Amino acid sequence: MNMAIMQSIPLSFRGNPKVLLALEVKLTVAKKVLECNNGNFVITDSEGHTLFKLDQKKVFLRELAVLRDDGDSPVVSIHKKKISLHNTYPVYKGESSEELFTVWDKNMRDAAELTYEIQLESESEPTFQVKGDFVPRNYQINFKESSIAAEVAMKHFSLTSMITGRSNYGVLVSPDVDQAFVAAVVTIMEAIHNEN
């Protein structure tokens, strides 16, 4: 089951063994409550080590956002299509023009059912779906509507969060699922629901 998930993710993500583990991985997303750029949006592992951070150009995901690793190397760049019936976000390898996948709003903001689809560049149909309650950060990234690739859940609000002005939530990545892929999808969901 999870091997099928791993095999469906673009090969270019799987080049880094640090982001693909055979065990379930717990990540933490931390962001400043009022801003999501200039190092104020980071994804860390369970030990607190930075895995990914957001580098933005212009306004948050309106032009370009680059997700970088802990060594400041670009992992993916995320664009927002300016003219589209759906909220559409193509994702590219590093800062290149090699498209890896596209995320879009399946129901054009139907409040009754908010679902996002992810179509890998190599596939003719969407392979992943993102469903859940996005404002409180409780959602799942599902593989072919049956297997959970990752779960996102808001951590309990703490005194530390209030003092530091940071909002934290957790991401549980299933075994053999690429952390960079999940980080890119989480970044897009954060951008979409930060705009609203």
Side-chain angles (χ1 to χ4, degrees):
M1 175 173 70
N2 287 330
M3 189 56 86
I5 296 173
M6 184 189 78
Q7 290 172 346
S8 71
I9 295 174
L11 285 172
S12 47
F13 272 127
R14 291 191 265 143
N16 184 351
K18 284 174 42 178
V19 296
L20 183 65
L21 300 174
L23 304 171
E24 193 171 71
V25 177
K26 293 179 184 176
L27 305 176
T28 300
V29 177
K31 67 175 188 134
K32 284 235 178 178
V33 174
L34 297 176
E35 42 183 313
C36 284
N37 61 353
N38 301 323
N40 294 321
F41 183 86
V42 295
I43 299 175
T44 59
D45 63 14
S46 59
E47 304 290 318
H49 301 110
T50 298
L51 297 177
F52 306 102
K53 55 191 171 188
L54 191 63
D55 177 22
Q56 297 174 247
K57 313 225 186 311
K58 306 246 177 169
V59 181
F60 192 57
L61 281 190
R62 299 228 182 230
E63 293 294 325
L64 168 69
V66 179
L67 199 60
R68 297 184 179 278
D69 65 16
D70 61 339
D72 216 28
S73 297
V75 178
V76 296
S77 57
I78 305 165
H79 300 254
K80 180 177 181 181
K81 281 193 178 176
K82 293 181 190 220
I83 301 173
S84 176
L85 290 176
H86 303 268
N87 280 326
T88 303
Y89 297 85
V91 178
Y92 300 88
K93 181 179 180 179
E95 293 181 288
S96 74
S97 60
E98 180 185 340
E99 189 171 337
L100 299 171
F101 62 92
T102 301
V103 178
W104 71 86
D105 180 352
K106 178 181 178 183
N107 300 309
M108 294 174 41
R109 299 232 173 259
D110 177 1
E113 181 183 343
L114 205 49
T115 301
Y116 296 88
E117 296 203 321
I118 302 170
Q119 184 169 340
L120 303 175
E121 183 59 27
S122 61
E123 301 289 324
S124 59
E125 295 289 322
T127 309
F128 293 87
Q129 281 195 338
V130 186
K131 289 183 174 184
D133 196 356
F134 295 91
V135 175
R137 308 308 187 254
N138 289 308
Y139 58 89
Q140 292 179 339
I141 302 169
N142 297 315
F143 174 69
K144 297 198 177 187
E145 296 187 33
S146 60
S147 300
I148 297 171
E151 291 182 272
V152 176
M154 187 69 145
K155 289 185 177 178
H156 297 292
F157 188 76
S158 68
L159 182 60
T160 306
S161 293
M162 190 169 68
I163 293 169
T164 62
R166 287 193 172 269
S167 172
N168 296 334
Y169 53 96
V171 180
L172 188 60
V173 182
S174 295
D176 298 324
V177 175
D178 192 299
Q179 296 172 41
F181 171 76
V182 171
V185 173
V186 168
T187 302
I188 292 168
M189 294 301 110
E190 186 64 39
I192 291 170
H193 297 283
N194 228 24
E195 289 177 351
N196 297 332

